[in-house]
Amino acid sequence: MQRCAAGGAGNRPLHPPKPRGGDTARTAAPRSGAAGVGAEYDEVLDAYRQAGVDPAALSRPRVAALVVSGDRVLGRAEVPGVTLGCQQHPTGVDVHVVVAPGIRPEQPVHLCLGMLPPEGTLEIRTTIHVGAGADVRFLACCTFPRATRIRHRMDSRIQVDEGAAIDYEEVHFHGPHGGI
């Protein structure tokens, strides 16, 4: 397996590196127009919009978000106390989310997972660990705007520690052909 990195051709970072010291609330804010991934990212945002979710939420401050197309991370943003990691595999990604004890993010954590090609396989394996006393909401949006023959599988493992709460909502958009 290969570690996921936001980036396009040549695995260049999608965004500037994390600042040293000071405010680290935004480590890699998803934005369009980045080298190698801009058009793909914009297309994913359009599918997000068609699924009924406001894509502007992905670029707001204090919003943790992960945007994946197939086995590529197009954008990632973390907030203090919410860590988003992933590893690539041949048919998708393994997503690892850790919400630290006592953390209560103001906004939902956005997991925008899908693929743009009309055919293929996307397997997503998620592990979510919500620490003691934390309270978090997730909005997962699985987008397949051109799907004619897609196989989509997801396996999730969620650990909720004592006194913690989680709310998980998942929205699917399969495009006009609905070939999932």
Side-chain angles (χ1 to χ4, degrees):
M1 276 188 234
Q2 194 174 16
R3 196 170 144 71
C4 292
N11 206 24
R12 292 176 293 205
L14 179 60
H15 306 287
K18 183 180 355 182
R20 294 176 189 233
D23 181 17
T24 59
R26 213 73 192 145
T27 61
R31 295 180 194 159
S32 61
V37 297
E40 189 173 0
Y41 183 80
D42 289 341
E43 196 168 342
V44 169
L45 291 187
D46 187 50
Y48 208 63
R49 184 179 305 102
Q50 291 178 53
V53 180
D54 179 10
L58 297 173
S59 59
R60 291 186 185 125
R62 296 184 308 270
V63 172
L66 183 65
V67 179
V68 172
S69 178
D71 67 349
R72 293 177 16 145
V73 174
L74 304 180
R76 185 178 85 200
E78 294 179 334
V79 298
V82 178
T83 304
L84 302 169
C86 70
Q87 291 182 315
Q88 294 172 296
H89 58 79
T91 56
V93 292
D94 294 343
V95 176
H96 310 283
V97 182
V98 177
V99 180
I103 295 297
R104 296 171 180 264
E106 296 174 25
Q107 302 294 322
V109 174
H110 287 259
L111 301 175
C112 185
L113 312 167
M115 70 189 288
L116 295 174
E119 296 182 359
T121 297
L122 178 62
E123 295 176 312
I124 298 182
R125 300 181 293 243
T126 60
T127 57
I128 299 172
H129 179 203
V130 182
D135 189 347
V136 63
R137 293 177 295 152
F138 286 90
L139 176 57
C141 189
C142 300
T143 55
F144 303 89
R146 297 188 205 139
T148 57
R149 189 176 172 164
I150 297 270
R151 182 178 189 166
H152 171 48
R153 295 189 329 203
M154 185 168 180
D155 179 31
S156 292
R157 309 283 181 201
I158 301 174
Q159 177 181 333
V160 181
D161 289 350
E162 186 175 334
I166 182 174
D167 181 29
Y168 185 94
E169 178 182 353
E170 190 167 301
V171 177
H172 279 241
F173 175 70
H174 298 165
H177 306 292
I180 298 285

